[in-house]
Amino acid sequence: MEYQSVYTPIKVGTFESDVICQLCKLYQISRSRTTPYHPEGNAQCERFNRTLHNLLKSLSPDKKKHWPKYLPELVFSYKVSQNSTTGYSPYYLLFGRSPKLPIDFLLGTNQTDETDQSLYEWIIAHQNHLICLRKAESRQRSLLNTAKAKHDEQHFQS
């Protein structure tokens, strides 16, 4: 689950974990509900679907025939790429660090291990990560407001 200021569960139901409720409260995440088969209600999901479709179009014709085989690599490449809206990669926003890739081990880079941190160091790193999340949220909200204003201007001029 990627961090967002609004948490949208995939399925609407009567059960919701107490843990999820407490985490949403702790991190000031408001919940919203969407109905299945109504894509307009979940714009972030639809935007990702469009991005994934564009990634699938980038495959060579012989690979397109077997596109499910290449889906994990395409999704991973999306998750580790910097997002133009937030300024961070989805991987970084979720885990608070850049991914450790096989090439990093071969080249001897990215050798730090988070398990060697003291509790105090972990808290400081977590607080810094939350600051990045808030910056990403603020930037995304600003861009969404700009897009909404432009849309309203084009469609609701008096």
Side-chain angles (χ1 to χ4, degrees), residues 10-65:
I10 295 175
K11 293 182 179 179
V12 176
T14 56
F15 171 78
E16 188 166 49
S17 168
D18 288 338
V19 173
I20 295 296
C21 290
Q22 291 299 321
L23 285 172
C24 288
K25 190 177 194 178
L26 178 68
Y27 290 106
Q28 302 168 356
I29 299 171
S30 60
R31 294 182 301 253
S32 71
R33 305 253 190 273
T34 61
T35 57
Y37 307 110
H38 187 74
E40 296 85 2
N42 200 344
Q44 288 180 332
C45 179
E46 289 305 306
R47 178 64 185 103
F48 173 74
N49 287 344
R50 183 171 18 141
T51 300
L52 182 59
H53 184 257
N54 290 337
L55 288 170
L56 288 167
K57 287 194 309 187
S58 72
L59 291 174
S60 64
D62 58 318
K63 289 182 178 181
K64 284 182 185 177
K65 294 175 187 172

Side-chain angles (χ1 to χ4, degrees), residues 86-153:
T86 63
Y88 299 96
S89 72
Y91 188 98
Y92 180 81
L93 292 176
L94 182 61
F95 297 109
R97 64 177 177 83
S98 297
K100 293 181 180 179
L101 303 173
I103 190 70
D104 294 328
F105 293 104
L106 291 173
L107 297 176
T109 59
N110 203 2
Q111 294 281 336
T112 59
D113 187 6
E114 289 80 21
T115 59
D116 293 338
Q117 292 179 327
S118 69
L119 178 60
Y120 177 77
E121 290 170 330
W122 182 88
I123 290 171
I124 297 299
H126 187 67
Q127 287 175 338
N128 290 334
H129 182 233
L130 289 175
I131 290 169
C132 291
L133 290 173
R134 295 293 180 210
K135 284 181 189 176
E137 176 189 22
S138 174
R139 185 171 176 183
Q140 185 176 23
R141 182 167 285 125
S142 173
L143 290 171
L144 286 172
N145 287 339
T146 302
K148 182 187 181 317
K150 185 176 179 180
H151 175 270
D152 290 349
E153 183 181 300

